[in-house]
Amino acid sequence: RGFTASNMRILKVHVISAEGLKGLKEGGPSPFCLVKTFGSGKIQTKKTGLMSGGTKIDPQWNEVLLMEVDNDINGVAVAVWLKDTLKKHHSSTTVQFRDIEYSEPKYYPLQERGKGRGKILLKFENLDEEQSEILDRTINHKKTQRSINKNFDIDMESKDIIKVFKCSYEKGVPRTKGRLFITENYILFKASIGNSKVVIPVDIIEQAAPRGKIFNDGIKIVTRDGQKYLFFNLITNRDRCLRILMDLGIDVPYMKSKMLKKGQTSSRNRKYLITLYQ
């Protein structure tokens, strides 16, 4: 499966492992990888963490990097660096897009100044927008997933977590500070101190609206049975939060009116709109 023509696409680079890294010792510095696109288009650089398994000579990373590429990008350069007190370059390889065997792991030779220094196992894949958003959530929300599963006793996958906001929950005085988790099926709140929690299934929510007399930095969520939940201190994130709720199918008259004035439509027909949630 090759590189299809479009203005912009997401390239999934799976940095799996390396073998036979010359000049390394088990007691020496740990290797990591730097992946950089090259060509006349927008250049991106991303790096893995330190090795997660194997040995210093045959390290394993098993890490996925998402690269935004356009038609003017010719390929990627993958370099192995060593992390000690200082960063030191070990070796690198250059992969042209025309030479990539998509979706199949392949070894690429590593060199430094024309000399072979081992080989690296990589897998490349092109993703559409929805696939890349799901994968991005899976990678970036692992810690949040563990927190939700532990604190709320909900079996949730990281790809189901859309956004996390810092805010305060109002139920009496004073307000309780914590984090608001917006997921595909639940709106959750967990206090930073103490055990205060809120669980609102998305399918029982009737409406959401802005709230706040002075700072106007809050939202109100109303369920079908008349329960009301107030969250404040969202500040610049209030409209973003309401927009996400609307894209989950919740009625948000304020956002509908605001978008109509701007000539916009809901992104509900594009379930995962990457730029909206960044």
Side-chain angles (χ1 to χ4, degrees):
R1 188 174 64 182
F3 228 50
T4 57
S6 68
N7 291 331
M8 191 67 67
R9 61 186 63 81
I10 302 297
L11 179 70
K12 173 184 171 183
V13 184
H14 188 180
V15 183
I16 302 171
S17 61
E19 289 186 12
L21 296 186
K22 293 186 177 180
L24 298 191
K25 298 179 181 179
E26 285 309 308
S30 295
F32 67 95
C33 289
L34 202 67
V35 181
K36 184 176 183 179
T37 57
F38 63 86
S40 57
K42 177 185 175 183
I43 304 300
Q44 268 201 327
T45 302
K46 294 196 175 184
K47 67 178 180 179
T48 69
L50 299 179
M51 54 179 279
S52 59
T55 66
K56 299 289 177 65
I57 298 172
D58 301 317
Q60 296 174 2
W61 294 282
N62 200 27
E63 195 163 332
V64 171
L65 304 176
L66 300 182
M67 315 289 288
E68 190 179 66
V69 298
D70 57 40
N71 288 328
D72 295 321
I73 293 297
N74 300 325
V76 295
V78 183
V80 176
W81 287 73
L82 307 177
K83 173 72 173 179
D84 200 359
T85 53
L86 297 174
K87 294 178 183 178
K88 181 180 178 182
H89 182 263
H90 176 271
S91 56
S92 61
T93 189
T94 300
V95 184
Q96 298 277 353
F97 285 147
R98 63 174 180 266
D99 299 327
I100 291 177
E101 295 179 12
Y102 287 90
S103 300
E104 295 295 331
K106 180 181 176 181
Y107 279 104
Y108 296 87
L110 291 165
Q111 294 188 331
E112 172 64 9
R113 296 180 182 178
K115 295 182 179 180
R117 304 206 74 186
K119 59 183 179 180
I120 188 165
L121 184 61
L122 305 169
K123 184 171 78 169
F124 297 91
E125 186 176 351
N126 286 320
L127 304 181
D128 61 31
E129 191 175 57
E130 180 173 325
Q131 288 174 317
S132 63
E133 172 65 9
I134 292 172
L135 182 59
D136 192 46
R137 289 186 196 177
T138 303
I139 294 169
N140 295 327
H141 286 313
K142 283 291 186 184
K143 186 176 180 181
T144 304
Q145 175 199 10
R146 290 193 294 269
S147 175
I148 289 175
N149 291 348
K150 176 183 177 181
N151 290 303
F152 295 94
D153 194 27
I154 294 174
D155 186 15
M156 182 174 297
E157 297 183 36
S158 56
K159 66 181 178 63
D160 294 326
I161 302 168
I162 298 173
K163 193 68 178 176
V164 183
F165 296 104
K166 291 182 179 179
C167 70
S168 297
Y169 172 55
E170 183 173 290
K171 188 176 182 180
V173 180
R175 294 173 178 174
T176 304
K177 293 183 178 179
R179 292 196 297 167
L180 183 69
F181 305 88
I182 301 180
T183 77
E184 287 289 328
N185 299 305
Y186 295 95
I187 309 300
L188 308 169
F189 175 84
K190 173 67 173 68
S192 301
I193 300 175
N195 295 316
S196 181
K197 303 173 190 176
V198 175
V199 179
I200 314 171
V202 168
D203 59 8
I204 71 166
I205 297 175
E206 182 175 346
Q207 196 174 84
R211 184 77 174 182
K213 295 181 180 179
I214 300 176
F215 298 108
N216 205 24
D217 62 351
I219 65 170
K220 177 176 70 174
I221 294 175
V222 182
T223 61
R224 293 196 188 105
D225 62 359
Q227 291 287 327
K228 297 178 182 179
Y229 301 87
L230 302 175
F231 301 95
F232 290 92
N233 296 331
L234 286 161
I235 314 176
T236 58
N237 289 320
R238 186 203 66 180
D239 283 9
R240 186 183 304 179
C241 182
L242 288 171
R243 177 69 183 265
I244 297 172
L245 294 179
M246 185 174 71
D247 287 337
L248 286 173
I250 297 168
D251 184 26
V252 188
Y254 165 79
M255 287 306 299
K256 287 181 181 177
S257 174
K258 187 173 183 179
M259 291 170 66
L260 284 172
K261 289 178 182 178
K262 292 184 177 181
Q264 298 176 344
T265 57
S266 172
S267 64
R268 184 63 180 172
N269 61 335
R270 295 176 63 200
K271 194 172 182 181
Y272 307 105
L273 185 61
I274 297 173
T275 55
L276 176 64
Y277 305 135
Q278 289 178 340

